[in-house]
Amino acid sequence: MSTKPKLYYFDGRGKMESIRWLLAAAGVEFEEEFLETRDQYEKLLQGGSLLFQQVPMVEIDGMRMVQTRAILSYIAAKYNLYGKDLKERALIDMYVGGTDDLMGFILMFPFLSAEDKEKQRALIVQKVTSRYFPVYEKVLKDHGQDFLVGNNFSWADVHLLEAILMVEEKKSDVLSGFPQLQAFKARISSIPAIKKFLEPGSQRKPVPDDKYVETVRRVLRMYYDVKAN
Amino acid sequence: MSGKPRLTYLNGRGRMEPIRWLLAAAGVEFEEVYLETKEQYDKLIKDGFLLFQQVPLVEIDGMKMVQTRAIMSYIAGKYNLYGKDLKERALIDMYVEGISDLMQMILMFPFSPPDAKEKNLESIKERATNRYFPVFEKVLKQHGQDFLVGNKFSWADVQLMEAILAVEEKVPDVLSGFPKLQVFKTKMSNMPTIKKFLQPGSPRKPPPDAHYVETVLKVFKK
Protein backbone atom coordinates (compact mmCIF):
# COMPACT_ATOMS: atom_id res chain seq x y z
CA MET A 1 0.00 0.00 0.00
CA SER A 2 1.26 3.44 -0.93
CA THR A 3 2.09 5.73 1.93
CA LYS A 4 0.65 8.70 0.10
CA PRO A 5 -2.71 9.94 1.33
CA LYS A 6 -5.55 8.80 -0.92
CA LEU A 7 -8.56 10.99 -1.52
CA TYR A 8 -12.00 9.58 -2.35
CA TYR A 9 -14.38 12.09 -3.93
CA PHE A 10 -15.87 13.26 -7.19
CA ASP A 11 -13.61 14.59 -9.90
CA GLY A 12 -14.32 18.16 -8.89
CA ARG A 13 -13.95 20.70 -6.11
CA GLY A 14 -16.81 20.37 -3.65
CA LYS A 15 -15.77 19.71 -0.08
CA MET A 16 -12.53 18.03 -1.06
CA GLU A 17 -10.89 21.03 -2.67
CA SER A 18 -9.74 22.64 0.59
CA ILE A 19 -8.07 19.35 1.46
CA ARG A 20 -6.26 19.25 -1.89
CA TRP A 21 -5.09 22.83 -1.32
CA LEU A 22 -3.77 22.09 2.15
CA LEU A 23 -1.92 18.92 1.18
CA ALA A 24 -0.41 20.72 -1.80
CA ALA A 25 0.61 23.69 0.36
CA ALA A 26 2.28 21.27 2.76
CA GLY A 27 4.17 19.76 -0.18
CA VAL A 28 2.46 16.39 0.27
CA GLU A 29 1.82 14.25 -2.79
CA PHE A 30 -1.49 12.43 -2.83
CA GLU A 31 -3.52 10.00 -4.90
CA GLU A 32 -7.15 10.32 -5.85
CA GLU A 33 -9.99 7.93 -6.59
CA PHE A 34 -12.87 9.63 -8.38
CA LEU A 35 -16.45 8.58 -7.79
CA GLU A 36 -18.22 8.33 -11.11
CA THR A 37 -20.94 5.75 -10.59
CA ARG A 38 -23.50 4.92 -7.96
CA ASP A 39 -22.02 1.41 -7.81
CA GLN A 40 -18.63 2.70 -6.73
CA TYR A 41 -20.25 4.68 -3.95
CA GLU A 42 -22.34 1.75 -2.79
CA LYS A 43 -19.28 -0.44 -2.78
CA LEU A 44 -17.49 2.04 -0.52
CA LEU A 45 -20.55 2.11 1.74
CA GLN A 46 -20.82 -1.66 1.92
CA GLY A 47 -17.10 -1.97 2.56
CA GLY A 48 -17.56 0.16 5.66
CA SER A 49 -15.04 2.79 4.58
CA LEU A 50 -17.32 5.74 5.12
CA LEU A 51 -17.93 6.30 8.80
CA PHE A 52 -21.06 8.41 8.30
CA GLN A 53 -21.80 7.14 4.78
CA GLN A 54 -20.34 10.31 3.28
CA VAL A 55 -17.42 11.61 1.30
CA PRO A 56 -14.88 13.27 1.48
CA MET A 57 -12.89 10.34 2.74
CA VAL A 58 -9.10 10.40 3.02
CA GLU A 59 -6.94 7.38 3.75
CA ILE A 60 -4.00 8.76 5.68
CA ASP A 61 -1.60 7.25 8.21
CA GLY A 62 -3.63 4.07 8.51
CA MET A 63 -6.89 5.92 9.15
CA ARG A 64 -9.95 6.31 6.94
CA MET A 65 -10.74 9.88 7.83
CA VAL A 66 -14.04 11.53 7.09
CA GLN A 67 -15.48 14.95 7.96
CA THR A 68 -13.71 17.72 6.10
CA ARG A 69 -12.86 19.77 9.17
CA ALA A 70 -11.37 16.78 11.00
CA ILE A 71 -9.23 15.93 7.98
CA LEU A 72 -8.01 19.49 7.53
CA SER A 73 -7.17 19.86 11.25
CA TYR A 74 -5.17 16.64 11.17
CA ILE A 75 -3.19 17.69 8.11
CA ALA A 76 -2.59 21.18 9.47
CA ALA A 77 -1.26 19.84 12.76
CA LYS A 78 0.82 17.11 11.19
CA TYR A 79 2.56 19.48 8.80
CA ASN A 80 3.05 22.36 11.25
CA LEU A 81 0.49 24.67 9.68
CA TYR A 82 -1.53 25.10 12.88
CA GLY A 83 0.36 27.73 14.84
CA LYS A 84 2.76 27.27 17.73
CA ASP A 85 0.34 27.15 20.68
CA LEU A 86 -3.32 27.00 21.70
CA LYS A 87 -3.91 30.69 21.19
CA GLU A 88 -2.47 30.74 17.67
CA ARG A 89 -4.53 27.67 16.90
CA ALA A 90 -7.60 29.51 18.21
CA LEU A 91 -6.94 32.40 15.82
CA ILE A 92 -6.39 30.03 12.91
CA ASP A 93 -9.60 28.18 13.76
CA MET A 94 -11.54 31.44 13.87
CA TYR A 95 -10.17 32.68 10.56
CA VAL A 96 -10.72 29.33 8.88
CA GLY A 97 -14.27 29.29 10.27
CA GLY A 98 -14.92 32.56 8.48
CA THR A 99 -13.45 31.49 5.13
CA ASP A 100 -15.31 28.19 5.49
CA ASP A 101 -18.63 30.01 5.90
CA LEU A 102 -17.74 32.21 2.94
CA MET A 103 -16.86 29.25 0.71
CA GLY A 104 -20.05 27.56 1.86
CA PHE A 105 -22.02 30.14 -0.12
CA ILE A 106 -20.07 29.11 -3.21
CA LEU A 107 -20.19 25.37 -2.60
CA MET A 108 -23.87 25.08 -3.45
CA PHE A 109 -23.69 27.56 -6.30
CA PRO A 110 -23.45 25.03 -9.18
CA PHE A 111 -26.57 23.26 -7.93
CA LEU A 112 -28.79 26.33 -8.04
CA SER A 113 -31.24 27.24 -10.75
CA ALA A 114 -30.10 29.92 -13.20
CA GLU A 115 -32.29 32.50 -11.48
CA ASP A 116 -31.05 31.61 -8.00
CA LYS A 117 -27.48 31.70 -9.29
CA GLU A 118 -27.75 35.39 -10.06
CA LYS A 119 -29.20 36.15 -6.63
CA GLN A 120 -26.53 34.04 -4.97
CA ARG A 121 -23.75 35.72 -6.87
CA ALA A 122 -24.95 39.09 -5.58
CA LEU A 123 -25.22 37.68 -2.06
CA ILE A 124 -21.71 36.26 -2.20
CA VAL A 125 -20.26 39.57 -3.30
CA GLN A 126 -22.19 41.44 -0.64
CA LYS A 127 -21.15 39.12 2.19
CA VAL A 128 -17.58 38.95 1.05
CA THR A 129 -17.10 42.68 0.76
CA SER A 130 -19.01 43.66 3.88
CA ARG A 131 -18.37 40.80 6.29
CA TYR A 132 -15.39 38.65 5.42
CA PHE A 133 -12.71 40.44 3.41
CA PRO A 134 -12.66 43.51 5.70
CA VAL A 135 -11.70 41.23 8.61
CA TYR A 136 -8.66 39.75 6.90
CA GLU A 137 -7.70 43.11 5.40
CA LYS A 138 -7.65 44.57 8.92
CA VAL A 139 -5.72 41.66 10.42
CA LEU A 140 -2.98 42.08 7.84
CA LYS A 141 -2.97 45.86 8.13
CA ASP A 142 -2.86 45.85 11.94
CA HIS A 143 0.19 43.58 12.32
CA GLY A 144 1.83 44.35 8.99
CA GLN A 145 3.14 40.80 8.69
CA ASP A 146 3.15 38.54 5.66
CA PHE A 147 0.94 35.85 7.17
CA LEU A 148 -2.32 35.95 9.07
CA VAL A 149 -1.14 34.33 12.31
CA GLY A 150 2.08 34.34 14.27
CA ASN A 151 4.26 35.61 11.45
CA ASN A 152 4.30 32.09 10.07
CA PHE A 153 2.66 30.38 7.09
CA SER A 154 -0.40 28.45 8.28
CA TRP A 155 -3.62 26.74 7.26
CA ALA A 156 -5.39 30.10 7.62
CA ASP A 157 -3.31 31.59 4.80
CA VAL A 158 -3.96 28.66 2.47
CA HIS A 159 -7.68 28.74 3.15
CA LEU A 160 -7.90 32.49 2.62
CA LEU A 161 -6.07 32.31 -0.71
CA GLU A 162 -8.39 29.54 -1.86
CA ALA A 163 -11.40 31.68 -0.86
CA ILE A 164 -10.06 34.78 -2.60
CA LEU A 165 -9.51 32.95 -5.88
CA MET A 166 -12.95 31.36 -5.69
CA VAL A 167 -14.68 34.68 -5.16
CA GLU A 168 -12.67 36.28 -7.96
CA GLU A 169 -14.07 33.63 -10.27
CA LYS A 170 -17.49 35.06 -9.49
CA LYS A 171 -16.44 38.72 -9.62
CA SER A 172 -13.02 39.41 -10.99
CA ASP A 173 -12.48 42.83 -9.39
CA VAL A 174 -13.73 41.90 -5.93
CA LEU A 175 -10.34 42.73 -4.37
CA SER A 176 -10.39 46.28 -5.63
CA GLY A 177 -11.11 47.78 -2.21
CA PHE A 178 -8.61 45.56 -0.41
CA PRO A 179 -4.97 46.46 -1.02
CA GLN A 180 -3.61 44.24 1.77
CA LEU A 181 -5.45 41.24 0.34
CA GLN A 182 -4.10 41.99 -3.12
CA ALA A 183 -0.56 41.94 -1.78
CA PHE A 184 -1.37 38.83 0.29
CA LYS A 185 -2.70 37.06 -2.79
CA ALA A 186 0.46 37.82 -4.76
CA ARG A 187 2.70 36.77 -1.88
CA ILE A 188 1.02 33.49 -1.06
CA SER A 189 0.61 32.55 -4.73
CA SER A 190 4.34 32.78 -5.16
CA ILE A 191 5.18 30.31 -2.39
CA PRO A 192 6.73 27.41 -4.37
CA ALA A 193 4.29 24.68 -3.28
CA ILE A 194 1.31 26.94 -3.96
CA LYS A 195 2.71 28.23 -7.22
CA LYS A 196 3.04 24.63 -8.36
CA PHE A 197 -0.55 23.88 -7.35
CA LEU A 198 -1.76 26.88 -9.35
CA GLU A 199 -0.09 25.67 -12.53
CA PRO A 200 -1.90 23.60 -15.19
CA GLY A 201 -1.50 19.88 -14.66
CA SER A 202 -1.75 20.06 -10.88
CA GLN A 203 -4.48 18.30 -8.94
CA ARG A 204 -6.38 21.52 -8.47
CA LYS A 205 -9.87 21.10 -9.87
CA PRO A 206 -11.62 23.54 -12.25
CA VAL A 207 -14.76 25.54 -11.57
CA PRO A 208 -17.63 23.02 -11.27
CA ASP A 209 -19.69 22.59 -14.44
CA ASP A 210 -22.93 20.83 -15.38
CA LYS A 211 -21.16 17.52 -15.80
CA TYR A 212 -19.89 17.74 -12.22
CA VAL A 213 -23.37 18.55 -10.92
CA GLU A 214 -24.81 15.65 -12.88
CA THR A 215 -22.20 13.26 -11.47
CA VAL A 216 -22.82 14.31 -7.88
CA ARG A 217 -26.58 14.03 -8.30
CA ARG A 218 -26.27 10.62 -9.92
CA VAL A 219 -23.82 9.14 -7.42
CA LEU A 220 -25.56 10.48 -4.34
CA ARG A 221 -29.07 10.24 -5.80
CA MET A 222 -29.39 13.87 -4.79
CA TYR A 223 -32.21 14.90 -7.09
CA TYR A 224 -33.94 17.43 -4.90
CA ASP A 225 -33.77 21.14 -5.64
CA VAL A 226 -31.01 22.94 -3.84
CA LYS A 227 -32.13 26.26 -2.43
CA ALA A 228 -29.94 29.30 -1.99
CA ASN A 229 -29.16 30.53 1.58
CA MET B 1 -12.90 41.79 35.39
CA SER B 2 -13.76 38.26 36.39
CA GLY B 3 -11.48 35.47 35.23
CA LYS B 4 -14.49 33.43 34.16
CA PRO B 5 -15.33 32.97 30.49
CA ARG B 6 -18.24 35.16 29.43
CA LEU B 7 -20.76 33.90 26.90
CA THR B 8 -22.87 36.24 24.77
CA TYR B 9 -25.88 34.71 23.02
CA LEU B 10 -29.62 34.49 23.23
CA ASN B 11 -31.20 33.02 26.32
CA GLY B 12 -31.60 29.64 24.73
CA ARG B 13 -29.72 26.68 23.25
CA GLY B 14 -28.90 27.41 19.63
CA ARG B 15 -25.24 27.29 18.73
CA MET B 16 -24.10 28.16 22.23
CA GLU B 17 -25.47 25.09 23.97
CA PRO B 18 -22.62 22.71 23.04
CA ILE B 19 -20.21 25.31 24.44
CA ARG B 20 -22.15 25.45 27.72
CA TRP B 21 -22.05 21.65 27.89
CA LEU B 22 -18.31 21.53 27.30
CA LEU B 23 -17.44 24.21 29.84
CA ALA B 24 -19.74 22.57 32.38
CA ALA B 25 -18.24 19.14 31.71
CA ALA B 26 -14.78 20.61 32.23
CA GLY B 27 -15.97 22.04 35.56
CA VAL B 28 -15.51 25.62 34.39
CA GLU B 29 -17.83 28.30 35.75
CA PHE B 30 -18.93 30.94 33.30
CA GLU B 31 -21.03 34.09 32.99
CA GLU B 32 -23.66 34.81 30.40
CA VAL B 33 -24.96 37.89 28.64
CA TYR B 34 -28.30 37.41 26.90
CA LEU B 35 -29.22 39.16 23.68
CA GLU B 36 -32.82 40.28 23.85
CA THR B 37 -33.03 43.16 21.39
CA LYS B 38 -31.74 44.04 17.97
CA GLU B 39 -30.23 47.18 19.45
CA GLN B 40 -28.02 45.15 21.80
CA TYR B 41 -26.81 43.05 18.87
CA ASP B 42 -26.20 46.05 16.63
CA LYS B 43 -24.19 47.68 19.41
CA LEU B 44 -21.98 44.62 19.79
CA ILE B 45 -21.24 44.79 16.09
CA LYS B 46 -20.64 48.53 16.14
CA ASP B 47 -18.28 48.17 19.10
CA GLY B 48 -16.23 45.61 17.17
CA PHE B 49 -16.84 42.64 19.45
CA LEU B 50 -18.00 40.23 16.78
CA LEU B 51 -15.30 39.33 14.30
CA PHE B 52 -17.75 38.19 11.63
CA GLN B 53 -20.75 40.07 13.05
CA GLN B 54 -22.08 36.85 14.52
CA VAL B 55 -22.67 35.15 17.84
CA PRO B 56 -21.78 32.92 19.68
CA LEU B 57 -19.17 35.12 21.30
CA VAL B 58 -17.06 33.78 24.15
CA GLU B 59 -14.67 36.09 25.97
CA ILE B 60 -11.99 33.81 27.34
CA ASP B 61 -8.35 34.28 28.27
CA GLY B 62 -8.24 37.80 26.87
CA MET B 63 -9.69 36.74 23.50
CA LYS B 64 -13.05 37.58 21.97
CA MET B 65 -13.66 34.20 20.37
CA VAL B 66 -16.27 33.56 17.71
CA GLN B 67 -17.02 30.53 15.48
CA THR B 68 -18.47 27.70 17.51
CA ARG B 69 -15.93 25.10 16.43
CA ALA B 70 -12.97 27.36 17.17
CA ILE B 71 -14.34 28.04 20.64
CA MET B 72 -14.98 24.37 21.39
CA SER B 73 -11.56 23.29 20.10
CA TYR B 74 -9.91 25.86 22.33
CA ILE B 75 -11.83 24.77 25.41
CA ALA B 76 -11.21 21.08 24.67
CA GLY B 77 -7.50 21.75 24.17
CA LYS B 78 -7.19 23.87 27.29
CA TYR B 79 -9.01 21.47 29.61
CA ASN B 80 -7.47 18.23 28.33
CA LEU B 81 -10.59 16.92 26.65
CA TYR B 82 -8.93 16.53 23.26
CA GLY B 83 -7.09 13.23 23.48
CA LYS B 84 -3.41 12.61 24.07
CA ASP B 85 -2.04 12.88 20.53
CA LEU B 86 -2.86 13.80 16.95
CA LYS B 87 -4.56 10.50 16.15
CA GLU B 88 -6.85 10.65 19.16
CA ARG B 89 -7.64 14.24 18.28
CA ALA B 90 -8.49 13.08 14.73
CA LEU B 91 -10.96 10.53 16.11
CA ILE B 92 -12.50 13.08 18.45
CA ASP B 93 -12.81 15.58 15.59
CA MET B 94 -14.47 13.00 13.34
CA TYR B 95 -16.97 12.00 16.00
CA VAL B 96 -17.72 15.58 17.01
CA GLU B 97 -18.22 16.70 13.42
CA GLY B 98 -20.59 13.82 12.72
CA ILE B 99 -22.64 14.57 15.82
CA SER B 100 -22.61 18.23 14.90
CA ASP B 101 -24.25 17.39 11.55
CA LEU B 102 -27.05 15.63 13.46
CA MET B 103 -27.35 18.51 15.91
CA GLN B 104 -27.63 20.92 12.99
CA MET B 105 -30.91 19.24 12.04
CA ILE B 106 -32.19 19.76 15.56
CA LEU B 107 -30.93 23.34 15.61
CA MET B 108 -32.91 24.23 12.50
CA PHE B 109 -36.04 22.33 13.49
CA PRO B 110 -37.85 25.11 15.43
CA PHE B 111 -37.44 27.37 12.41
CA SER B 112 -38.98 25.02 9.87
CA PRO B 113 -42.41 25.95 8.53
CA PRO B 114 -45.31 24.10 10.21
CA ASP B 115 -46.01 21.94 7.18
CA ALA B 116 -42.39 20.72 7.08
CA LYS B 117 -42.07 19.88 10.77
CA GLU B 118 -43.33 16.33 10.54
CA LYS B 119 -41.02 15.52 7.66
CA ASN B 120 -38.06 17.09 9.44
CA LEU B 121 -38.79 15.16 12.60
CA GLU B 122 -38.82 11.95 10.55
CA SER B 123 -35.44 12.93 9.06
CA ILE B 124 -33.95 13.50 12.49
CA LYS B 125 -35.20 10.12 13.65
CA GLU B 126 -33.96 8.42 10.49
CA ARG B 127 -30.49 9.95 10.62
CA ALA B 128 -30.05 9.33 14.30
CA THR B 129 -31.07 5.68 14.06
CA ASN B 130 -29.50 4.80 10.71
CA ARG B 131 -26.47 7.00 10.35
CA TYR B 132 -25.14 8.37 13.61
CA PHE B 133 -26.10 6.28 16.63
CA PRO B 134 -25.05 2.97 15.01
CA VAL B 135 -21.53 4.37 14.60
CA PHE B 136 -21.11 5.17 18.27
CA GLU B 137 -22.84 1.97 19.36
CA LYS B 138 -20.27 0.09 17.31
CA VAL B 139 -17.30 2.12 18.61
CA LEU B 140 -18.29 1.43 22.22
CA LYS B 141 -18.99 -2.24 21.50
CA GLN B 142 -15.69 -2.81 19.73
CA HIS B 143 -13.37 -1.45 22.39
CA GLY B 144 -15.63 -2.13 25.35
CA GLN B 145 -14.41 0.99 27.12
CA ASP B 146 -16.46 3.59 28.94
CA PHE B 147 -15.43 6.49 26.74
CA LEU B 148 -15.38 6.94 22.99
CA VAL B 149 -11.67 7.70 22.55
CA GLY B 150 -8.52 6.59 24.28
CA ASN B 151 -10.23 5.20 27.36
CA LYS B 152 -10.53 8.72 28.66
CA PHE B 153 -13.31 11.29 29.01
CA SER B 154 -13.19 13.74 26.08
CA TRP B 155 -15.10 16.34 24.10
CA ALA B 156 -16.53 13.53 21.97
CA ASP B 157 -18.29 12.00 24.98
CA VAL B 158 -19.81 15.34 26.00
CA GLN B 159 -21.04 16.02 22.49
CA LEU B 160 -22.56 12.56 22.13
CA MET B 161 -24.31 12.87 25.48
CA GLU B 162 -25.80 16.22 24.48
CA ALA B 163 -26.98 14.75 21.18
CA ILE B 164 -28.57 11.69 22.78
CA LEU B 165 -30.61 13.84 25.15
CA ALA B 166 -31.57 16.29 22.40
CA VAL B 167 -32.81 13.53 20.11
CA GLU B 168 -34.65 11.81 22.97
CA GLU B 169 -36.60 15.00 23.54
CA LYS B 170 -37.96 14.53 20.02
CA VAL B 171 -37.94 10.73 19.77
CA PRO B 172 -38.25 9.35 23.31
CA ASP B 173 -37.50 5.71 22.47
CA VAL B 174 -34.65 6.43 20.07
CA LEU B 175 -32.11 4.47 22.15
CA SER B 176 -34.20 1.33 22.19
CA GLY B 177 -31.98 -0.42 19.63
CA PHE B 178 -28.73 0.79 21.19
CA PRO B 179 -27.85 -0.97 24.45
CA LYS B 180 -24.28 0.39 24.60
CA LEU B 181 -25.54 3.94 24.18
CA GLN B 182 -28.02 3.40 26.99
CA VAL B 183 -25.18 2.37 29.28
CA PHE B 184 -23.09 5.28 28.02
CA LYS B 185 -25.90 7.71 28.74
CA THR B 186 -26.21 6.44 32.31
CA LYS B 187 -22.45 6.61 32.89
CA MET B 188 -22.23 10.15 31.56
CA SER B 189 -25.22 11.24 33.63
CA ASN B 190 -23.38 10.13 36.74
CA MET B 191 -20.15 11.98 36.09
CA PRO B 192 -20.10 14.73 38.73
CA THR B 193 -19.79 17.75 36.44
CA ILE B 194 -22.40 16.44 34.02
CA LYS B 195 -24.72 15.40 36.81
CA LYS B 196 -24.55 18.94 38.15
CA PHE B 197 -25.25 20.39 34.71
CA LEU B 198 -28.33 18.18 34.38
CA GLN B 199 -29.83 19.48 37.59
CA PRO B 200 -32.35 22.34 37.72
CA GLY B 201 -30.73 25.72 38.23
CA SER B 202 -27.72 24.91 36.04
CA PRO B 203 -26.83 27.04 32.98
CA ARG B 204 -28.36 24.36 30.75
CA LYS B 205 -31.09 25.85 28.59
CA PRO B 206 -34.53 24.31 27.97
CA PRO B 207 -35.72 23.13 24.54
CA PRO B 208 -36.43 26.07 22.22
CA ASP B 209 -40.01 27.35 22.38
CA ALA B 210 -42.02 29.89 20.40
CA HIS B 211 -40.66 32.76 22.47
CA TYR B 212 -37.10 31.73 21.69
CA VAL B 213 -37.83 31.53 17.95
CA GLU B 214 -39.49 34.93 18.10
CA THR B 215 -36.47 36.43 19.87
CA VAL B 216 -34.05 34.99 17.32
CA LEU B 217 -36.02 36.40 14.43
CA LYS B 218 -36.29 39.78 16.14
CA VAL B 219 -32.64 40.14 17.16
CA PHE B 220 -31.22 39.02 13.83
CA LYS B 221 -33.74 40.78 11.63
CA LYS B 222 -32.00 42.45 8.70
Side-chain angles (χ1 to χ4, degrees), chain A residues 41 51-54 60-71 73-74 77-78 82 86-87 89-91 93-101 127 130-132 135-136 139, chain B residues 41 51-54 60-67 69-71 73-74 77-79 82 86-87 89-91 93-95 97-99 101 127 130-132 135-136 138-139 222:
Chain A
Y41 174 58
L51 190 66
F52 300 113
Q53 302 155 29
Q54 298 164 316
I60 183 168
D61 297 340
M63 298 182 286
R64 286 197 172 93
M65 286 199 73
V66 297
Q67 292 291 335
T68 311
R69 190 61 76 87
I71 296 165
S73 291
Y74 180 77
K78 181 177 177 181
Y82 220 163
L86 260 194
K87 283 202 169 177
R89 186 192 304 252
L91 276 175
D93 279 340
M94 279 196 276
Y95 296 159
V96 160
T99 38
D100 202 41
D101 285 347
K127 291 261 194 222
S130 66
R131 176 174 291 189
Y132 295 105
V135 170
Y136 304 102
V139 167
Chain B
Y41 174 55
L51 190 66
F52 299 113
Q53 301 157 29
Q54 296 164 318
I60 183 169
D61 297 339
M63 298 182 286
K64 289 184 172 69
M65 286 200 74
V66 297
Q67 290 287 330
R69 262 194 210 91
I71 295 165
S73 290
Y74 180 76
K78 182 177 177 180
Y79 294 101
Y82 221 162
L86 262 196
K87 284 204 168 178
R89 186 195 306 253
L91 276 176
D93 277 341
M94 278 194 276
Y95 296 161
E97 289 293 305
I99 296 164
D101 285 348
R127 287 282 188 217
N130 294 333
R131 179 172 288 192
Y132 295 106
V135 169
F136 303 108
K138 185 176 177 205
V139 166
K222 301 219 193 304

Side-chain angles (χ1 to χ4, degrees), chain B residues 100-136:
Chain B
S100 172
D101 285 348
L102 175 62
M103 292 297 280
Q104 176 75 6
M105 299 173 81
I106 295 178
L107 185 83
M108 300 308 299
F109 183 80
F111 300 92
S112 41
D115 57 358
K117 280 207 156 70
E118 202 184 315
K119 181 162 95 38
N120 289 342
L121 185 59
E122 236 345 274
S123 293
I124 290 169
K125 181 179 178 182
E126 193 272 331
R127 287 282 188 217
T129 36
N130 294 333
R131 179 172 288 192
Y132 295 106
F133 286 177
V135 169
F136 303 108

Side-chain angles (χ1 to χ4, degrees), chain B residues 76-85 88-89 91-92 95 139-140 143-158 184 188 191:
Chain B
K78 182 177 177 180
Y79 294 101
N80 293 311
L81 294 168
Y82 221 162
K84 71 178 198 296
D85 58 27
E88 284 193 355
R89 186 195 306 253
L91 276 176
I92 291 167
Y95 296 161
V139 166
L140 291 168
H143 61 42
Q145 292 162 5
D146 286 354
F147 305 107
L148 285 171
V149 178
N151 208 10
K152 194 165 178 268
F153 183 54
S154 79
W155 174 17
D157 301 303
V158 182
F184 174 85
M188 288 301 122
M191 293 193 63

Side-chain angles (χ1 to χ4, degrees), chain B residues 180-191:
Chain B
K180 295 284 177 204
L181 291 182
Q182 292 174 35
V183 170
F184 174 85
K185 177 189 163 191
T186 305
K187 286 214 163 74
M188 288 301 122
S189 306
N190 289 322
M191 293 193 63

